[in-house]
Amino acid sequence: QVQLVESGGGFVQPGESLTLSCVISGIAFERSTVAWYRQAPGKWRELVAMITTSGTETYDDSVKGRFAASRDNVRNAIYLQMNNLKPEDTAIYLCNFRRISYPDHWGQGIQVTVSS
């Protein structure tokens, strides 16, 4: 049985930082590509960051240099360190786990609000 828990969102002011965490059990974590997505009101869900099984990282241009994703293959966890947050980063953030030929797994979503 797959269990997935996200944590770490909240309300911050512009320029501040937050770290999101996502822990999953019940899957072959080390064989899964992991990612963070976000969805703002009235917008499509977009990819924020992704880490492949080999450790290759990809970031959306809007977060490059400010966000850093990481994965822990021992704790079956992924993290998103978000620095210098901007109001346009306000969204619901979701973690995602993907493995070819298996169903995707999504976090429940966690709110991040950046406002002065």
Side-chain angles (χ1 to χ4, degrees), residues 59-103:
Y59 295 92
D60 183 79
D61 286 344
S62 66
V63 306
K64 282 181 181 177
R66 300 189 297 122
F67 290 13
S70 59
R71 63 185 295 163
D72 185 333
N73 288 348
V74 174
R75 294 184 174 85
N76 284 13
I78 62 172
Y79 307 95
L80 185 66
Q81 174 67 42
M82 304 183 292
N83 299 320
N84 189 22
L85 282 159
K86 303 177 180 180
E88 52 263 42
D89 295 319
T90 295
I92 293 174
Y93 285 71
L94 306 100
C95 56
N96 170 264
F97 300 85
R98 179 167 298 171
R99 182 184 174 194
I100 294 175
S101 302
Y102 288 82

Side-chain angles (χ1 to χ4, degrees), residues 4-116:
L4 199 156
V5 179
E6 285 190 20
S7 61
F11 184 102
V12 295
Q13 294 188 341
E16 295 186 339
S17 300
L18 278 175
T19 301
L20 305 182
S21 301
C22 185
V23 180
I24 190 168
S25 60
I27 68 166
F29 182 90
E30 69 283 358
R31 299 179 184 178
S32 302
T33 292
V34 302
W36 289 97
Y37 287 77
R38 67 185 179 188
Q39 188 165 14
K43 294 188 177 181
W44 296 102
R45 185 174 295 181
E46 62 177 4
L47 177 66
V48 176
M50 180 175 68
I51 308 178
T52 67
T53 55
S54 61
T56 300
E57 299 178 20
T58 303
Y59 295 92
D60 183 79
D61 286 344
S62 66
V63 306
K64 282 181 181 177
R66 300 189 297 122
F67 290 13
S70 59
R71 63 185 295 163
D72 185 333
N73 288 348
V74 174
R75 294 184 174 85
N76 284 13
I78 62 172
Y79 307 95
L80 185 66
Q81 174 67 42
M82 304 183 292
N83 299 320
N84 189 22
L85 282 159
K86 303 177 180 180
E88 52 263 42
D89 295 319
T90 295
I92 293 174
Y93 285 71
L94 306 100
C95 56
N96 170 264
F97 300 85
R98 179 167 298 171
R99 182 184 174 194
I100 294 175
S101 302
Y102 288 82
D104 273 19
H105 298 287
W106 289 90
Q108 77 274 16
I110 190 163
Q111 180 69 45
V112 172
T113 303
V114 185
S115 176
S116 56

